[in-house]
Amino acid sequence: MSRFINVAAAQLGPIQRSDTRSEIIERLLAHLRQAHAMGCQLVVFPELALTTFFPRWYMEDPEEVDAFYEKEMPGPTTRVLFDTAAKLGIGFYLGYAELTVENGRAHRYNTSILVGQDGKIIGKYRKVHLPGHAEHEPWRAFQHLEKHYFEPGQSFDVWRAFGGVMGMALCNDRRWSETYRVMGLQGVEMIMLGYNTPVHNPPAPEHDDLSMFHNQLVMQAGAYQNGTWVVGVAKAGEEEGCEMIGGTCIIAPSGEIVAACSTKGDELAIARCDLDLCHSYKSTTFNFERHRRPEAYGLITSRRGAIAPADVEMSPA
Ligand code: CDV
């Protein structure tokens, strides 16, 4: 059997701070229209797709900071995305900064939503693995203040949609095997994942040459080890003087890349994804029910950091 879904990985080139929301949304709409013209049912946009990657700056003025967040979704400027999706009958995944007030307290998250072909929100995900730091670190060429600007999300959920089981993650989540496995244990068949990854890693510049290799390594491994499609979508190119990797790609449950962008600008990579391809991995090598040994994995949830065994004093012979 085959269950096909035509998916567009909608890479965005850089978004500068001076770009208005309306200008940015025009670029997203162009992607939606082009993907629809090419027969797609789903478009995947990057992380923080409505703004420049603002955690690269330390800002103290709350008004300046809050301008980067969406207070409602859809809101006055984003509604056109939902209306266009409904009109074209095309769904989308969108990453953005969310500001919500609960019990009189403001909460800020790095969020993505999945929107159906009817233009209605199916599900929301809040980024669990927030990389970087919480305090200003002036020694860096640029900041990575996600721990300052966002609270972590608490779960990896999946949704029945688009004829399959769909999951969401954001950027740094892709480097953690737990991300894929928690969704794998819920039968995920397609993980959508937007990212903003600078080429330069200030705390470990020795990794810079490997940034694209690591990007593909983690997503290909996550796809194969969980028998799922992975759609990884970059915001790419030189954004406010910071060079971002591209590497947008669609990965099959075999771990193979089946479509990829070749530029660092606005570009679609399109694949006809058969969700039934997941089955041959989920029912053989990665038949979890048959082969997993959770009784041996207790440390995964009980311990956060690595602790090596203490050195054993060797008594003299
Ligand atoms: N936006 C991200 O989560 N970026 C990280 C950076 C810190 C390397 C990433 O894992 O790509």
Side-chain angles (χ1 to χ4, degrees):
M1 258 191 44
S2 300
R3 274 180 299 141
F4 287 110
I5 170 170
N6 295 348
V7 178
Q11 179 172 285
L12 290 175
I15 294 178
Q16 308 305 344
R17 195 168 178 168
S18 57
D19 296 346
T20 65
R21 285 282 205 294
S22 305
E23 286 167 344
I24 297 159
I25 286 169
E26 266 314 310
R27 289 165 61 184
L28 270 57
L29 289 171
H31 270 331
L32 278 184
R33 291 189 193 106
Q34 197 186 354
H36 174 254
M38 297 180 83
C40 294
Q41 289 91 47
L42 176 62
V43 176
V44 181
F45 292 113
E47 174 191 45
L48 297 181
L50 299 175
T51 59
T52 196
F53 189 78
F54 64 91
R56 73 167 64 90
W57 295 297
Y58 180 72
M59 295 171 277
E60 298 194 75
D61 174 3
E63 225 176 281
E64 185 185 14
V65 174
D66 283 354
F68 289 102
Y69 293 79
E70 303 305 312
K71 284 104 199 160
E72 49 180 332
M73 189 58 74
T77 46
T78 49
R79 185 168 298 282
V80 63
L81 284 171
F82 293 73
D83 293 346
T84 306
K87 198 170 109 212
L88 300 176
I90 191 165
F92 64 88
Y93 158 110
L94 175 72
Y96 64 98
E98 176 192 4
L99 172 51
T100 181
V101 178
E102 278 161 30
N103 300 325
R105 240 197 88 209
H107 299 272
R108 294 170 178 79
Y109 300 99
N110 188 341
T111 295
S112 63
I113 46 168
L114 178 61
V115 175
Q117 289 168 276
D118 58 358
K120 301 234 161 51
I121 294 178
I122 294 169
K124 180 185 277 191
Y125 166 72
R126 290 166 172 162
K127 187 172 180 179
V128 169
H129 298 104
L130 296 174
H133 48 110
E135 305 300 329
H136 189 209
E137 295 186 1
W139 60 268
R140 292 174 180 254
F142 48 84
Q143 304 294 296
H144 199 107
L145 284 157
E146 285 198 59
K147 285 182 163 61
H148 181 73
Y149 291 123
F150 303 117
E151 288 174 46
Q154 299 296 329
S155 65
F156 290 105
D157 304 320
V158 302
W159 294 266
R160 277 210 177 272
F162 297 92
V165 182
M166 311 295 286
M168 293 190 265
L170 282 160
C171 198
N172 192 259
D173 287 323
R174 74 194 189 288
R175 304 188 193 276
W176 301 90
S177 55
E178 294 86 347
T179 298
Y180 306 89
R181 185 47 51 91
V182 171
M183 288 190 269
L185 284 166
Q186 300 171 80
V188 76
E189 294 177 319
M190 180 171 283
I191 296 175
M192 298 154 286
L193 193 161
Y195 61 91
N196 281 269
T197 299
V199 173
H200 175 51
N201 181 358
E206 64 277 18
H207 302 171
D208 290 2
D209 288 345
L210 297 170
S211 57
M212 190 59 81
F213 167 68
H214 289 151
N215 178 54
Q216 294 177 341
L217 176 72
V218 291
M219 293 196 291
Q220 291 184 260
Y224 169 64
Q225 292 175 340
N226 294 278
T228 180
W229 290 86
V230 172
V231 184
V233 184
K235 173 121 69 60
E238 196 180 313
E239 194 176 90
E240 296 289 346
C242 176
E243 185 63 32
M244 318 272 277
I245 67 167
T248 292
C249 59
I250 301 179
I251 300 158
S254 60
E256 294 165 292
I257 294 175
V258 298
C261 288
S262 58
T263 69
K264 290 202 176 162
D266 289 11
E267 183 183 349
L268 294 182
I270 292 178
R272 185 159 168 74
C273 304
D274 180 2
L275 298 175
D276 273 333
L277 272 185
C278 302
H279 182 70
S280 74
Y281 293 90
K282 288 185 191 296
S283 62
T284 61
T285 312
F286 297 113
N287 180 335
F288 290 169
E289 182 58 37
R290 188 158 184 203
H291 303 301
R292 287 183 78 250
R293 291 278 164 241
E295 62 277 15
Y297 310 151
L299 282 181
I300 295 279
T301 52
S302 64
R303 185 181 285 180
R304 184 196 294 229
I307 305 172
D311 280 343
V312 179
E313 284 273 331
M314 298 296 285
S315 47

